[in-house]
Structures are given as structure tokens and as C-alpha cells.
Amino acid sequence: LSADAPFVSFNCADYAQNTQLLFGHIFGIKKGAYTGAAQDSPGLIAKADGGILFLDEIHRLPPEGQEMLFTFIDKGIYRPLGESAQVHEASVQIIGATTESSESFLSTFNRRIPMAITLPNLASRSLDERYEIISLF
């Protein structure tokens, strides 16, 4: 990645109750996709092109969104909400964070993710580690 590569962060839990809005934020919205969509709106994938998209609380992404994200991960292509005639391409590294066990959700992600990092919670860390973390903050 270049030094000025974009880093875009998004919390999937913010829109978990409105899946279409969640998809629209991630993949973009085509003008006329729904009432009130008066103009094209680029999604986070377009904004993160050439950089990193950090999806926090990724376990809140519903199955339909997971499949759309899998298509992007596998092929590098996506369609904004309401787009049917054209596919878009982007080069984005995706980082997903969750508080859930990866075995309990998104099992298909495990085949596509080259690395998983598990961070121990604060209670399981030594006093020295806790003090060091507090000092950093």
C-alpha cells in the first residue's frame, strides 16, 4: 500500500437493523434505487479503493451482505444497490473485527480469510500488561 492509501472504517452494527441501508453504505447506491435516492452515492468500497476497509462488528452483516462481500473478496467486483447493468472493480484489503467467536458466525469467511488474530481480553492479561496498556492511553 502507498503511504497515502485510504483507510476507511465502518461499524456494521450501526445499520444492522436496516440491511438495505447497510448494503448501500458498503457497496454504494445507484440513483433511483429507492425513493429518495436522488443521486449516485459511492460506497465505502469505492472510497477505500487502493487501501483498507475496516469493518467493525462484521458479525452483524446479514447473510445477503456476506454473499455480496464474498463476491467482492473472490473476484474484486461489486454492484452498488440498484445497479444491474454494470459491475464495478476495486482493490481493497478488508479487515473485519468482531467480539464473537469466528466458529459461531460467518463460517464461510474462515475459508476466505488468510489470517485471524485473537486478542486476549483485559481480564486474562497480566498486571504488567494491564499497566502498560493504561500507560499507553
Side-chain angles (χ1 to χ4, degrees):
L1 296 175
S2 65
D4 62 342
F7 180 87
V8 178
S9 178
F10 181 72
N11 189 331
C12 296
D14 290 345
Y15 297 94
Q17 301 305 318
N18 187 334
T19 57
Q20 293 302 312
L21 194 55
L22 176 60
F23 301 157
H25 276 294
I26 295 173
F27 298 102
I29 300 167
K30 183 76 173 157
K31 177 182 176 180
Y34 55 83
T35 303
Q39 62 189 24
D40 289 350
S41 177
L44 299 173
I45 288 178
K47 292 177 182 177
D49 192 15
I52 296 171
L53 174 59
F54 175 71
L55 296 175
D56 197 11
E57 301 295 339
I58 197 169
H59 66 277
R60 302 295 299 268
L61 194 61
E64 304 84 25
Q66 292 174 32
E67 287 304 320
M68 294 167 71
L69 195 57
F70 295 155
T71 298
F72 177 70
I73 290 170
D74 292 342
K75 299 178 181 177
I77 60 171
Y78 66 98
R79 290 181 196 266
L81 188 64
E83 177 70 71
S84 60
Q86 180 180 351
V87 294
H88 299 258
E89 293 184 13
S91 175
V92 177
Q93 293 182 17
I94 297 174
I95 299 173
T98 181
T99 54
E100 303 293 317
S101 167
S102 64
E103 289 80 36
S104 67
F105 81 101
L106 301 175
S107 60
T108 312
F109 260 116
N110 292 332
R111 293 195 317 252
R112 292 175 165 90
I113 298 174
M115 180 187 321
I117 300 171
T118 303
L119 299 177
N121 63 21
L122 206 53
S124 65
R125 295 176 183 259
S126 70
L127 283 177
D128 290 338
E129 281 182 293
R130 291 181 204 181
Y131 179 76
E132 195 170 325
I133 291 170
I134 291 169
S135 296
L136 287 172
F137 286 108

